[in-house]
Short mmCIF file of all heavy atoms in Angstrom, two decimals:
data_model
loop_
_atom_site.label_atom_id
_atom_site.label_comp_id
_atom_site.label_asym_id
_atom_site.label_seq_id
_atom_site.Cartn_x
_atom_site.Cartn_y
_atom_site.Cartn_z
N TYR A 49 -9.68 -2.19 77.42
CA TYR A 49 -9.92 -2.50 78.76
C TYR A 49 -8.92 -1.74 79.58
O TYR A 49 -9.37 -1.07 80.64
CB TYR A 49 -9.76 -3.95 79.06
CG TYR A 49 -9.75 -4.44 80.42
CD1 TYR A 49 -10.94 -4.44 81.20
CD2 TYR A 49 -8.64 -4.69 81.09
CE1 TYR A 49 -10.98 -4.83 82.48
CE2 TYR A 49 -8.55 -5.08 82.44
CZ TYR A 49 -9.72 -5.12 83.14
OH TYR A 49 -9.81 -5.42 84.44
N VAL A 50 -7.60 -1.74 79.32
CA VAL A 50 -6.68 -0.99 80.05
C VAL A 50 -6.89 0.44 80.17
O VAL A 50 -6.84 1.06 81.15
CB VAL A 50 -5.25 -1.37 79.59
CG1 VAL A 50 -4.18 -0.42 80.21
CG2 VAL A 50 -4.86 -2.79 79.93
N SER A 51 -7.22 1.00 79.02
CA SER A 51 -7.52 2.42 78.95
C SER A 51 -8.71 2.80 79.75
O SER A 51 -8.81 3.75 80.45
CB SER A 51 -7.82 2.85 77.37
OG SER A 51 -8.18 4.11 77.35
N GLY A 52 -9.79 1.97 79.74
CA GLY A 52 -10.92 2.24 80.61
C GLY A 52 -10.59 2.19 82.04
O GLY A 52 -11.21 2.95 82.80
N ARG A 53 -9.84 1.13 82.47
CA ARG A 53 -9.43 1.11 83.87
C ARG A 53 -8.64 2.42 84.29
O ARG A 53 -8.71 2.93 85.46
CB ARG A 53 -8.59 -0.13 84.15
CG ARG A 53 -9.33 -1.41 83.98
CD ARG A 53 -10.68 -1.64 84.78
NE ARG A 53 -10.40 -1.39 86.18
CZ ARG A 53 -11.21 -0.79 86.94
NH1 ARG A 53 -12.45 -0.51 86.60
NH2 ARG A 53 -10.99 -0.60 88.30
N LEU A 54 -7.68 2.86 83.40
CA LEU A 54 -6.91 3.94 83.78
C LEU A 54 -7.84 5.22 83.94
O LEU A 54 -7.66 6.01 84.81
CB LEU A 54 -5.81 4.23 82.73
CG LEU A 54 -4.65 3.20 82.68
CD1 LEU A 54 -3.70 3.42 81.49
CD2 LEU A 54 -3.91 3.22 83.99
N ASP A 55 -8.84 5.27 82.98
CA ASP A 55 -9.69 6.47 83.05
C ASP A 55 -10.56 6.44 84.34
O ASP A 55 -10.79 7.40 84.99
CB ASP A 55 -10.66 6.53 81.83
CG ASP A 55 -9.89 6.88 80.52
OD1 ASP A 55 -8.77 7.52 80.66
OD2 ASP A 55 -10.45 6.76 79.43
N ALA A 56 -11.00 5.17 84.70
CA ALA A 56 -11.84 5.03 85.91
C ALA A 56 -10.94 5.43 87.13
O ALA A 56 -11.47 6.06 88.07
CB ALA A 56 -12.37 3.58 86.06
N ARG A 57 -9.71 4.96 87.21
CA ARG A 57 -8.87 5.34 88.28
C ARG A 57 -8.63 6.77 88.42
O ARG A 57 -8.57 7.38 89.48
CB ARG A 57 -7.58 4.60 88.23
CG ARG A 57 -6.56 4.80 89.24
CD ARG A 57 -5.28 4.00 89.18
NE ARG A 57 -4.47 4.33 90.28
CZ ARG A 57 -3.19 3.99 90.35
NH1 ARG A 57 -2.58 3.33 89.39
NH2 ARG A 57 -2.49 4.25 91.40
N LYS A 58 -8.39 7.42 87.23
CA LYS A 58 -8.23 8.90 87.22
C LYS A 58 -9.45 9.70 87.68
O LYS A 58 -9.39 10.59 88.54
CB LYS A 58 -7.83 9.41 85.80
CG LYS A 58 -7.54 10.79 85.67
CD LYS A 58 -7.17 11.17 84.11
CE LYS A 58 -6.97 12.54 84.04
NZ LYS A 58 -6.81 12.99 82.65
N ALA A 59 -10.61 9.18 87.24
CA ALA A 59 -11.99 9.86 87.81
C ALA A 59 -12.11 9.62 89.23
O ALA A 59 -12.52 10.54 89.85
CB ALA A 59 -12.99 9.15 86.91
N ARG A 60 -11.71 8.48 89.75
CA ARG A 60 -11.89 8.16 91.17
C ARG A 60 -10.98 9.06 91.95
O ARG A 60 -11.26 9.68 93.01
CB ARG A 60 -11.55 6.68 91.47
CG ARG A 60 -11.90 6.29 92.90
CD ARG A 60 -11.64 4.85 93.27
NE ARG A 60 -10.21 4.82 93.44
CZ ARG A 60 -9.43 3.95 92.68
NH1 ARG A 60 -9.87 3.22 91.79
NH2 ARG A 60 -8.12 3.91 92.94
N LYS A 61 -9.70 9.20 91.62
CA LYS A 61 -8.79 10.11 92.27
C LYS A 61 -9.19 11.52 92.22
O LYS A 61 -9.13 12.35 93.17
CB LYS A 61 -7.39 9.97 91.53
CG LYS A 61 -6.68 8.69 91.81
CD LYS A 61 -6.16 8.50 93.18
CE LYS A 61 -5.35 7.23 93.27
NZ LYS A 61 -4.93 6.91 94.56
N GLU A 62 -9.77 12.01 91.04
CA GLU A 62 -10.30 13.35 91.04
C GLU A 62 -11.45 13.57 91.90
O GLU A 62 -11.49 14.62 92.60
CB GLU A 62 -10.72 13.60 89.55
CG GLU A 62 -11.05 15.10 89.24
CD GLU A 62 -9.89 15.98 89.39
OE1 GLU A 62 -8.72 15.52 89.07
OE2 GLU A 62 -10.09 17.23 89.75
N ASN A 63 -12.37 12.58 91.98
CA ASN A 63 -13.47 12.69 92.95
C ASN A 63 -13.02 12.74 94.36
O ASN A 63 -13.66 13.38 95.21
CB ASN A 63 -14.46 11.56 92.70
CG ASN A 63 -15.27 11.69 91.48
OD1 ASN A 63 -15.49 12.83 90.96
ND2 ASN A 63 -15.83 10.62 90.93
N GLU A 64 -12.02 11.96 94.68
CA GLU A 64 -11.52 11.89 96.01
C GLU A 64 -10.88 13.29 96.34
O GLU A 64 -11.10 13.77 97.56
CB GLU A 64 -10.38 10.86 96.26
CG GLU A 64 -10.95 9.48 96.33
CD GLU A 64 -9.83 8.35 96.39
OE1 GLU A 64 -8.57 8.77 96.26
OE2 GLU A 64 -10.19 7.23 96.29
#
Side-chain angles (χ1 to χ4, degrees):
Y49 172 77
V50 169
S51 176
R53 295 303 309 151
L54 291 174
D55 287 344
R57 182 177 181 189
K58 184 179 175 184
R60 190 182 74 239
K61 293 285 185 185
E62 188 67 31
N63 285 337
E64 288 173 0

